[in-house]
Amino acid sequence: MSRATRTLMTAAATLAATALLTGQAMATTATDNANGTFYYTDLLGGNQQVVNPELNSCKLVSSLGTSVSNQTDATVVLYTDTSCALLGNPVSPGSTITFAFKSYRFIDN
């Protein structure tokens, strides 16, 4: 095999590996969020919304949350504490619930 052929083969292999890694990174990024909108009402009566919320990350609400409408494709778990640890109440996609909560986390279905 000539040196030029080896150089071309090495370049082709490098491009293929880069394409695979880039595709993998893009696929991973695409699944880090739920699709849709999460609506909640806080204790002061304010209506809040989160578009395409991040998965597997504990989020605090601005004040005590009182009700939610989960219009995403992922389940959201509502918690009564600020660290997503106490009294988890799951809310399926498309569901609405009244429940006092201080934090929430979206999880993969």
Side-chain angles (χ1 to χ4, degrees):
M1 182 182 301
S2 72
R3 182 175 184 169
T5 303
R6 279 192 304 238
T7 301
L8 286 173
M9 289 179 71
T10 301
T14 301
L15 285 173
T18 301
L20 284 172
L21 291 174
T22 302
Q24 181 64 33
M26 292 171 94
T28 301
T29 302
T31 60
D32 289 338
N33 292 73
N35 295 307
T37 305
F38 172 61
Y39 301 93
Y40 70 91
T41 303
D42 62 31
L43 186 63
L44 304 174
N47 295 316
Q48 310 296 328
Q49 68 180 30
V50 181
V51 177
N52 299 331
E54 184 178 356
L55 292 172
N56 304 314
S57 178
C58 183
K59 300 293 183 182
L60 302 178
V61 295
S62 53
S63 66
L64 186 68
T66 58
S67 63
V68 304
S69 177
N70 181 13
Q71 300 305 310
T72 71
D73 60 357
T75 297
V76 62
V77 182
L78 309 176
Y79 297 92
T80 57
D81 68 327
T82 57
S83 60
C84 293
L86 296 176
L87 193 57
N89 189 358
V91 182
S92 301
S95 297
T96 301
I97 189 172
T98 299
F99 181 78
F101 66 102
K102 294 180 182 177
S103 61
Y104 64 90
R105 180 189 323 260
F106 278 84
I107 58 174
D108 293 319
N109 289 328

